[in-house]
Each structure stands twice: as C-alpha cells, then as structure tokens.
Amino acid sequence: MSSVAAELAPTPTRRLRFAGVEYEVLPTETVLDALLRHGLDVPYSCRKGVCQSCMMRATDGAVPAMAQHGLKDTLRDHGCFLSCLCRPKDDLDLVAPDDELAFVRATVARVERMSPAVARVRLTPAEPFEYHAGQFVSLRRSDGLIRSYSLASVPRLDDHLEIHVKRLSCGEMSSWVFDRLQPGETVDLAGPNGTGYYLPGRPDQPLLLIGNGTGLAPLIGIAHDALAEGHSGPIDLYHGTRHGEGLYLHRDLTELAERHDNFRYHPCLSGPARMKGCRPGRAEEMAFADHAALDGHRVFLCGYPPMVEAAKKAAYLAGARLDDIHADPFELRELRRVPRD
Ligand SMILES: Cc1cc2nc3c(=O)[nH]c(=O)nc-3n(C[C@H](O)[C@H](O)[C@H](O)COP(=O)(O)OP(=O)(O)OC[C@H]3O[C@@H](n4cnc5c(N)ncnc54)[C@H](O)[C@@H]3O)c2cc1C
C-alpha cells in the first residue's frame, strides 16, 4: 500500500496510555477526540491542525506523518504531534510535551488599548526567540489555557514581540488579556509557526496583503519587513473591518504610505458607516476588484476563516501560484452549540 493510502485506510480501535491510565480510541476518532470523550481536560483550540495548542508527545508507538504536519524538526524528532490530526495506527504512550522543548517563558512588557476591541501586548522572551515577521505563537497562561496570536513585530526592527488581541465577548483568553493582564506577569510561548512571511530574493515582486480585524497584525509585520529589506515592488495592504474604530492602525499605515511610494494602504469598511479615505465594502472584494490578474504576485491572507478560504480560491483563480498564496485563518475554538456557517 502507498504511504498516502496507508494513512487514509480505516483504523482499528487503538489504545492510548496517558498519565498511567489506558483509553480506547475508536476508529473514527482522533487522539484529541478520544481524550475529550473520556473526560480529560487537555488543551486544544482550533481542532484543525493550525494553532498547535493540542500538541502531545508519543514516548512509545509511531504517529502518522500527517499528525506532525507543520511542526519544527526538533519537535518531530522528539515524537511531538498534533492530537487533533492524529488517527493512530499503533497503540500510543503519551505525555504532554516537555516545557523546555516546546515553550519559552516571556514577560509582559506592556499592554495597551489600540481601539475599544483591540489590545497590543508587548512581550520580552527570557531567551533568544527566532522568528519571521508574520508568523504566529501559541500563548499559554499559567493555568494551561493556550491560544495562538500572530506576531506584528519584526525581528530586525523590534527588541520585543508584539501581538494584537481582539476582545471576544465571552472569550476566555482575550477577555483575560483585556481585563487582567499586567506588565511584569509571565506567560509561556510556543512556536513560532506558520509559513506566511516575507522572503527576500524577489525585490520587485508585487505583494498583496489582505486581512480583516486583527488579521492586520501579521500583515503589518510583513510590510515593515519587506520595506526594511528594500523591497521595490508594489505592496498593497487591504484592511477590512465593519466599523471605523476597527481600523486600529489607520494613522500609522497612512503615514507609512506617505513615506514609501511603493506601499499603499486601503482601509475598507463593510458596515453602513462611511469614513473619509475608506473604501465601502469588504477588503477582499476591494482587493480583487483592483487586482484582477495576480500572476507573479505573492498573496498573504489573514483573519476571519471564511474570508481567508474564499480569498485563497479567488487569488488562485486570478492567477497567483498556490505556493505564492499564504493563508493564516484565525480559527477559533468552536463553543457554539450550533456552529455558524
Ligand atoms: C494561527 C492563528 C493565529 C491567530 N492570531 C490571532 C491574532 O493575531 N489576534 C487575535 O485576536 N486572534 C488571533 N487568533 C485567534 C485566537 O487564537 C483566539 O482563538 C481568540 O483570541 C479567541 O480566544 P478566547 O480564548 O478569547 O475565546 P474562546 O474562549 O476560545 O471562545 C471562542 C468562541 O467565542 C465565541 N465568540 C464570541 N464572540 C465572538 C465573535 N465576535 N466572533 C467569533 N466568535 C465569537 C465563539 O463561539 C468562539 O467559538 C489566531 C488563531 C489562530 C489559529
């Protein structure tokens, strides 16, 4: 059987050993499904292999390659895998990933409101933290709650890490960041992850950046990084939101566009209100109306998952190569009884 066929073949019932107890995994289940069904309180968030907060380590038994998709080599080599993607072919002995392997301690340097719904958090890692602007980290609170946040900072320009957190009305982590998090507190960071970052070597390539809400965070990092590298091709950044206050970096981006001839900022408002200098409509609609042909472009898409998925298809149909399209959907932990379409 080919390796792909072997990975897709039906899986018999397997056993997991975790914290000294055996659990059964049904053929239809992932390791995460099984642990949750057995009532274990293990960390997870997106359940789609994006956020990496459900990572575990196998100390015995082989994990399928697809369950290690996107992990750094050091983590793979130590048997780490994403439990939400893992339909085991073997019985597995599991542990939580070792802290020193997966996490770096960071101190909160500053928390500030950029708008009523968006907070900027600056973090100082306790040890050197290598990353590319545009990647994301998983942030872990002392009680184990983990969520992913994109980096808005740029290694060559900033001596701290910066994330932008949107407040969700009942969101556990985002409400805590808004209401409780103080400078001097520590959190743990895993990562960085993600392949959506600027690659030097094609300085005249047109860059199209589309994001909504805090999907702006990685895009501003990528834009700053490209400009600092001396990128000479056009850089078009479309930021979409419903209300004017959601354009939380309007002044900074307007000034950046004034300083760089090849950088253009397109604020877009999808709600009924109008604002001088802002386009009426969704960011992705405006972007594709302006850029009907995307052959040769590099496209970055971040934020609300349905927007990112639809824009990915549209960018491909407009001629962008698949490996020039980078999509970071901000998958949320689905808590609704009836999921939204
Ligand atoms: C790769 C990646 C990068 C990310 N980057 C960022 C980032 O840079 N900035 C950022 O703010 N977030 C980002 N996220 C999302 C982030 O990880 C969290 O999911 C988010 O902050 C919510 O976490 P929470 O604990 O506050 O909410 P949870 O307690 O996990 O609750 C989420 C649930 O809240 C409900 N909900 C309440 N209000 C809303 C609303 N307005 N819209 C949608 N659902 C709602 C939904 O049922 C949803 O399932 C990213 C996610 C991923 C996967």
Side-chain angles (χ1 to χ4, degrees), residues 83-263:
S83 63
C84 73
L85 294 183
C86 183
R87 292 181 201 280
K89 305 279 187 236
D90 274 347
D91 292 351
L92 295 176
D93 284 5
L94 303 179
V95 292
D98 316 307
D99 268 17
E100 55 282 11
L101 192 63
F103 290 96
V104 170
R105 183 62 47 96
T107 305
V108 176
R110 197 163 175 197
V111 186
E112 64 187 297
R113 300 269 165 106
M114 304 171 86
S115 79
V118 179
R120 167 161 40 207
V121 181
R122 291 196 165 127
L123 298 160
T124 312
E127 51 192 80
F129 191 84
E130 286 183 21
Y131 70 100
H132 294 282
Q135 288 190 294
F136 66 91
V137 291
S138 297
L139 184 146
R140 184 175 70 175
R141 208 165 68 172
S142 61
D143 64 354
L145 185 77
I146 303 184
R147 297 287 184 268
S148 303
Y149 294 99
S150 301
L151 292 164
S153 45
V154 182
R156 68 175 103 194
L157 303 176
D158 301 307
D159 53 12
H160 51 259
L161 304 178
E162 175 174 321
I163 58 172
H164 300 167
V165 180
K166 180 181 174 196
R167 178 181 208 136
L168 297 188
S169 45
C170 304
E172 268 199 87
M173 183 71 91
S174 59
S175 300
W176 175 76
V177 166
F178 259 78
D179 300 335
R180 313 284 280 276
L181 188 64
Q182 296 290 332
E185 286 187 51
T186 56
V187 291
D188 294 322
L189 300 179
N193 298 304
T195 55
Y197 48 81
Y198 180 71
L199 284 178
R202 295 183 62 186
D204 49 1
Q205 182 176 35
L207 306 183
L208 179 60
L209 314 176
I210 308 173
N212 47 21
T214 43
L216 179 60
L219 302 183
I220 185 152
I222 293 166
H224 276 301
D225 199 26
L227 292 168
E229 179 68 28
H231 192 84
S232 55
I235 304 174
D236 283 276
L237 190 157
Y238 290 78
H239 184 211
T241 174
R242 196 164 157 71
H243 307 291
E245 64 191 24
L247 297 170
Y248 63 90
L249 280 176
H250 189 68
R251 203 170 54 194
D252 291 14
L253 288 167
T254 304
E255 286 171 9
L256 191 67
E258 283 164 7
R259 291 202 304 276
H260 296 273
D261 288 344
N262 62 329
F263 175 76

Side-chain angles (χ1 to χ4, degrees), residues 39-72:
L40 276 84
D41 184 17
V42 287
Y44 73 94
S45 184
C46 78
R47 300 183 88 152
K48 293 184 178 171
V50 181
C51 73
Q52 306 193 352
S53 52
C54 66
M55 190 163 66
M56 303 199 91
R57 187 160 78 81
T59 54
D60 196 25
V63 289
M66 69 180 297
Q68 295 186 307
H69 181 74
L71 292 185
K72 289 191 289 193

Side-chain angles (χ1 to χ4, degrees), residues 262-281:
N262 62 329
F263 175 76
R264 288 186 294 257
Y265 164 54
H266 308 267
C268 305
L269 286 179
S270 59
R274 295 286 163 257
M275 218 171 99
K276 191 165 170 264
C278 295
R279 311 267 296 270

